Amino acid sequence: MSNSDWRARARRFTLAGLPAGLPSVAFASAGLGAMPAVGWSVAALVVAPVLALAGLAYRRRLLSEVERLRVSREELTTILDSLDACIYVKSSDFRYQYVNRKGCELVGLPAESVLGKTDRDLFDSVTAAELHFNDRRVIEQGEKVVTFLSIKLPLRRADGSIHALCGISTDVTEYREIQESKHRLTFYDSLTGLPNRRLLLDRLEMVVKGTRRSERYAALLFIDLDDFKVINETQGLQRGDRFLRRVAQKLEEVVRESDTLARLGADEFVLLIHDLGLDVEQAAHAAERVAEKLLGQITSAQADDEQVLALPISASIGITLFANGQANVDSAMRQADMALQQAKLAGGNTLRFFNADMQADVMERVHLEADLHQALARDELRLHYQVQVDDRARVTGVEALIRWEHPRRGLVPPGLFIPLAEKNRLILPIGYWVLETACRQLAAWSQERGKEALTISVNVSSVQFHQPDFVARVQHTLEGTGADPARLVLEVTESLLMEEPERVRNIMLRLSKLGIRFSLDDFGTGYSSLNYLKRLPLDELKIDKSFIEGVLDDPVDAAIVTTTITLANSLGLEVTAEGVETEAQHRWLLEHGCEAFQGYLFGRPLALEELALGEQASATLP
């Protein structure tokens, strides 16, 4: 074979897989040095096949490594896409270089639409700004940033410089659901959804500590259904559970959100009420009202369930009050339970207080309220009249004052029964009875010589005044009795004027058009706006007796009375001083411009048959 043929074959081996120049390098490294042309050709014929085989092996290793890397990358991608977390890589210019499947789902775009983009391209401006702020901390300062359940950490080169960041964000919805479920099982009753004993005790401890600091009363009420086991025994546990859920719903309707209604188990419920004020009597009264509402709700729960309608389901309630560190958690629970047992011993369907004196007061009010419901029907209410006189002590009119002639208690002071009447809205029928009785008396006096000019003042409650048909009822009463509207004076309080003032003003204007006059009672004890006062159709201001008592020795009371008289004169109103009891007070008021008076000096409230008016209506009283 000629030298040219050998050279051609060597060239083919080189082209087959060896880099050009590799034989020279190989020869040099072997120490062959420079060889003549013919020597090089012989060497090439020997070495070239070996080098070609080495090149093929290198190429196979390279391809194998590339394949291994490809498989590894696919495995890593599969792993990252399988994680329930958003994983991404951002370059130093904050562009996405990698994002896994969860990350694509988060932005709602495929990977090819995310890569190369910044957060400004994918999110709203506010979100993008927040993300960019944290990304800069990672890229520029090398911080590891944790935001909520997201982690951002820098990716560093071998020399420590940062070339990108990696973020991992985890969806914790399921974790939160598990935690919430665990919380519900720990602190809430599974049947009713109410707080359980554990949560109740936690909150009771907080309230007990709070009363030590604030000295305000709190109450703990134990509620137990009477003979509930009858439902379970006769109708089954399923219907019993359904009824308990219904009871829980009805009780929740009358409980403040700030208080705690809990179920201890079986048919036992507990209500924790806080912030009942500083006065023990007011706190007891408030707790009693709540307990009565709870008893009513349990009765209505029975009425709503047709399956248990025939069963007489009621409840017993035990109440304890505590404040000023008077109780701890254990003693409060024990006292409420003892009161509950007393309620059950009393026959159920009732309430009892742990304190015996408090219980006696409550029962006194309960019996009084029960009797009050029958007072109108039994004709036990009476009107007494207290005279009003002018500056010459001539009788110009009377104020009608209600009294309750109880068959056993005698005359019950209005301060005892009026609050009860307002609480249960008995004040409406009672108020209309007073108005009608007074109007009938006006009509009767209009036929008697010397009494036809007398006026009668009637107090109107806030509840009564705000009834939608109040004006119509007053007009109907005037027409039915034949009373002169000009002789009727309706006394209102400052607190009433401040409740929906525009609505009150409109009602007063409508009544004023009928000829009725208005007097502002107990002036100076409320918070009337003088600017609003001048817009009302008032005819008279009545100075409260608390100021009259001090006009002789209290400069402040004297100044208030003097100012009120001046104010009334400037507004064109009459002014009457209430509670005048001494001649000295009378003289002082006369000297300071007061021209109308009412009080024990001129006469106590008396029944009509004891009221000796006669010629006194136009003559000076003795």
Side-chain angles (χ1 to χ4, degrees), residues 197 200-201 204 219-226 251 260-262 264 267-273 291 294-295 298 315-320 322 329-344 350-352:
R197 176 185 289 270
L200 170 71
L201 294 177
L204 178 57
L220 190 66
L221 286 70
F222 270 30
I223 309 154
D224 188 83
L225 301 184
D226 299 327
L251 295 181
T260 299
L261 176 66
L264 294 190
D267 58 342
E268 296 178 321
F269 297 86
V270 175
L271 177 60
L272 173 62
I273 309 175
L294 297 177
L295 292 175
I298 291 172
S316 300
I317 298 181
I319 307 171
T320 184
F322 53 91
V329 171
D330 291 337
S331 64
M333 294 285 285
R334 185 169 58 254
Q335 290 171 6
D337 187 54
M338 291 172 64
L340 173 65
Q341 300 311 313
Q342 291 297 317
K344 284 189 168 296
T350 188
L351 61 94
R352 286 290 185 271

Side-chain angles (χ1 to χ4, degrees), residues 27-255:
F27 293 152
S29 63
L32 299 177
M35 296 182 64
V38 75
W40 182 91
S41 299
V42 173
L45 291 175
V46 176
V47 176
V50 175
L51 294 177
L53 292 174
L56 290 173
Y58 172 79
R59 185 178 183 184
R60 282 196 297 270
R61 286 197 304 273
L62 180 62
L63 294 174
S64 176
E65 184 66 19
V66 170
E67 178 63 16
R68 188 184 66 80
L69 290 174
R70 183 188 66 79
V71 172
S72 297
R73 178 166 180 167
E74 288 180 355
E75 289 179 351
L76 179 60
T77 300
T78 300
I79 292 173
L80 295 179
D81 284 344
S82 299
L83 293 177
D84 194 20
C86 173
I87 302 176
Y88 53 89
V89 175
K90 292 181 183 178
S91 62
S92 58
D93 60 352
F94 308 106
R95 296 185 180 276
Y96 284 92
Q97 292 181 325
Y98 169 79
V99 62
N100 72 340
R101 175 189 56 79
K102 193 69 175 180
C104 293
E105 292 177 358
L106 177 66
V107 296
L109 295 171
E112 55 268 22
S113 299
V114 177
L115 300 180
K117 301 292 181 60
T118 67
D119 289 321
R120 291 187 180 89
D121 302 320
L122 303 173
F123 301 103
D124 62 86
S125 58
V126 175
T127 302
E130 292 177 353
L131 294 172
H132 186 69
F133 173 78
N134 288 320
D135 289 353
R136 288 186 60 186
R137 292 169 57 191
V138 177
I139 293 291
E140 297 176 4
Q141 302 176 32
E143 293 185 39
K144 179 180 178 180
V145 177
V146 179
T147 57
F148 301 101
L149 286 176
S150 297
I151 300 175
K152 296 183 179 183
L153 62 158
L155 298 180
R156 301 179 183 273
R157 299 185 182 91
D159 59 2
S161 62
I162 299 171
H163 67 89
L165 69 82
C166 177
I168 305 173
S169 301
T170 306
D171 184 358
V172 293
T173 302
E174 185 176 356
Y175 170 79
R176 287 175 177 170
E177 290 177 350
I178 293 173
Q179 291 299 105
E180 290 174 1
S181 176
K182 181 179 178 181
H183 179 78
R184 286 194 298 271
L185 291 173
T186 304
F187 294 104
Y188 289 87
D189 174 54
S190 59
L191 177 65
T192 63
L194 296 177
N196 60 16
R197 176 185 289 270
R198 179 172 177 177
L199 183 54
L200 170 71
L201 294 177
D202 288 347
R203 293 183 179 176
L204 178 57
E205 184 173 8
M206 293 174 60
V207 171
V208 168
K209 291 179 179 177
T211 61
R212 293 171 186 164
R213 294 190 299 269
S214 69
E215 300 183 353
R216 302 180 73 85
Y217 276 89
L220 190 66
L221 286 70
F222 270 30
I223 309 154
D224 188 83
L225 301 184
D226 299 327
D227 298 322
F228 174 74
K229 62 180 181 180
V230 176
I231 294 181
N232 286 335
E233 292 173 354
T234 60
Q235 301 190 32
L237 295 176
Q238 187 174 6
R239 285 184 177 174
D241 287 348
R242 185 180 65 190
F243 183 65
L244 287 174
R245 284 193 293 269
R246 181 60 181 163
V247 168
Q249 293 171 359
K250 298 294 288 186
L251 295 181
E252 282 186 297
E253 292 176 1
V254 296
V255 173

Side-chain angles (χ1 to χ4, degrees), residues 507-533:
I507 294 173
M508 291 178 67
L509 287 172
R510 291 170 61 191
L511 291 169
S512 182
K513 288 180 180 179
L514 298 177
I516 295 172
R517 301 170 62 200
F518 283 96
S519 175
L520 183 54
D521 196 16
D522 302 333
F523 183 75
T525 60
Y527 305 93
S528 290
S529 164
L530 297 182
N531 182 55
Y532 183 70
L533 198 62

Side-chain angles (χ1 to χ4, degrees), residues 341-499:
Q341 300 311 313
Q342 291 297 317
K344 284 189 168 296
L345 289 174
N349 194 28
T350 188
L351 61 94
R352 286 290 185 271
F353 278 85
F354 173 73
N355 182 285
D357 294 336
M358 194 178 299
Q359 177 61 36
D361 291 341
V362 169
M363 295 311 298
E364 179 77 7
R365 281 199 305 272
V366 168
H367 294 315
L368 191 65
E369 186 172 348
D371 291 343
L372 184 59
H373 278 274
Q374 307 298 323
L376 267 177
R378 294 172 179 171
D379 193 27
E380 296 172 357
L381 298 181
R382 304 284 184 267
L383 276 190
H384 284 193
Y385 299 93
Q386 186 174 31
V387 297
Q388 299 167 329
V389 302
D390 62 13
D391 56 345
R392 296 173 60 185
R394 293 179 303 184
V395 177
T396 58
V398 296
E399 180 179 357
L401 299 168
I402 189 171
R403 297 293 186 266
W404 180 11
E405 192 173 323
H406 194 279
R408 297 187 309 278
R409 303 167 186 265
L411 283 179
V412 180
L416 283 180
F417 71 87
I418 291 299
L420 290 177
E422 290 180 337
K423 183 192 77 170
N424 56 32
R425 299 180 71 82
L426 281 174
I427 196 66
L428 293 176
I430 291 175
Y432 289 127
W433 176 86
V434 171
L435 179 64
E436 182 175 352
T437 304
C439 286
R440 290 190 185 281
Q441 190 57 54
L442 277 176
W445 281 346
S446 69
Q447 304 301 317
E448 297 183 33
R449 183 174 177 274
K451 299 180 182 178
E452 65 271 13
L454 290 177
T455 62
I456 295 184
S457 298
V458 175
N459 291 278
V460 180
S461 75
S462 174
V463 176
Q464 187 179 5
F465 197 88
H466 284 293
Q467 293 303 301
D469 63 344
F470 179 63
V471 175
R473 290 289 295 267
V474 172
Q475 186 173 6
H476 177 75
T477 301
L478 289 170
E479 294 172 352
T481 59
D484 182 358
R487 301 301 173 193
L488 177 64
V489 180
L490 297 182
E491 293 195 3
V492 296
T493 61
E494 291 181 81
S495 59
L496 169 61
L497 300 183
M498 292 298 99
E499 298 172 6

